[in-house]
Amino acid sequence: DAGVIQSPRHEVTEMGQEVTLRCKPISGHDYLFWYRQTMMRGLELLIYFNNNVPIDDSGMPEDRFSAKMPNASFSTLKIQPSEPRDSAVYFCASSFNSYNEQFFGPGTRLTVL
Amino acid sequence: DAKTTQPTSMDCAEGRAANLPCNHSTISGNEYVYWYRQIHSQGPQYIIHGLKNNETNEMASLIITEDRKSSTLILPHATLRDTAVYYCIVHSPHAGGTSYGKLTFGQGTILTVHP
């Protein structure tokens, strides 16, 4: 398996624009996680899914953020409208179950100007 | 969920053992201790986890005290490629626990391995 795949790897956009980050989890993994990492706040869990259903979105910062998982092999994290404070590295991770380790993707580095 | 306390940074000579401590005095009975590391510009990588017994795998050993209030990650022969931020996390894989499903990353320990 190729591991967790994220796209794009880098995104530069202007304030107010819509940004969509994409993630393909490892095949057979039932859990998918979205994290955000900044120097100030470290690595934070935004939301996670189990069998395509959102379980906990308490980490989503505000209504500008939304995440979907239409099927077991694809998830998106959308920011609309984007703001400069959203600049961060966004990681997607997946795991077989809640007990097993999480496998992280390479991340998407987002810069909002 | 339980919080962890780790030293901000540590140094280690290449080829020597690196011993990274972690305090988790408020850990609950159903919470496991997980260790991840993050090499610069990469996503975090799982290392090892345990409940109460010591654990060993190809990467490291995990020593958990009998009262489970602290643990030590041991890299037996550190190499330059082990330079990374190491995160100690307590996590419950069982539904109903407050940390269920969640990995809460603290600031971790910056381990620098010197030649």
Side-chain angles (χ1 to χ4, degrees), chain A residues 31-32 47-58, chain B residues 100-101:
Chain A
Y31 285 78
L32 184 138
I47 185 172
Y48 77 92
F49 296 82
N50 179 23
N51 291 321
N52 313 338
V53 176
I55 303 300
D56 187 334
D57 65 353
S58 60
Chain B
Y100 173 65

Side-chain angles (χ1 to χ4, degrees), chain A:
Chain A
D1 202 314
V4 175
I5 299 172
Q6 292 186 248
S7 64
R9 293 293 308 278
H10 302 273
E11 177 80 28
V12 180
T13 190
E14 293 187 345
M15 181 173 62
Q17 297 297 307
E18 177 180 297
V19 175
T20 299
L21 310 182
R22 297 172 176 80
C23 175
K24 175 179 169 56
I26 293 173
S27 177
H29 282 191
D30 289 339
Y31 285 78
L32 184 138
F33 307 82
W34 283 101
Y35 292 86
R36 177 174 68 175
Q37 186 170 35
T38 62
M39 288 294 293
M40 290 296 294
R41 300 178 65 88
L43 195 60
E44 305 172 281
L45 176 67
L46 300 178
I47 185 172
Y48 77 92
F49 296 82
N50 179 23
N51 291 321
N52 313 338
V53 176
I55 303 300
D56 187 334
D57 65 353
S58 60
M60 295 286 264
E62 51 197 271
D63 292 345
R64 297 184 298 106
F65 285 69
S66 62
K68 295 181 179 180
M69 192 165 185
N71 57 61
S73 59
F74 183 65
S75 177
T76 60
L77 179 67
K78 185 176 294 186
I79 308 172
Q80 166 64 18
S82 59
E83 297 182 3
R85 59 189 169 130
D86 301 330
S87 297
V89 180
Y90 291 80
F91 289 104
C92 177
S94 70
S95 66
F96 180 68
N97 57 34
S98 63
Y99 177 79
N100 288 88
E101 66 268 30
Q102 294 182 19
F103 292 83
F104 284 75
T108 295
R109 181 173 296 276
L110 174 65
T111 303
V112 183
L113 303 174

Side-chain angles (χ1 to χ4, degrees), chain B residues 46-48 56-61 76:
Chain B
Y46 166 83
I47 301 173
I48 198 168
T56 296
N57 63 20
E58 65 279 4
M59 289 183 67
S61 295

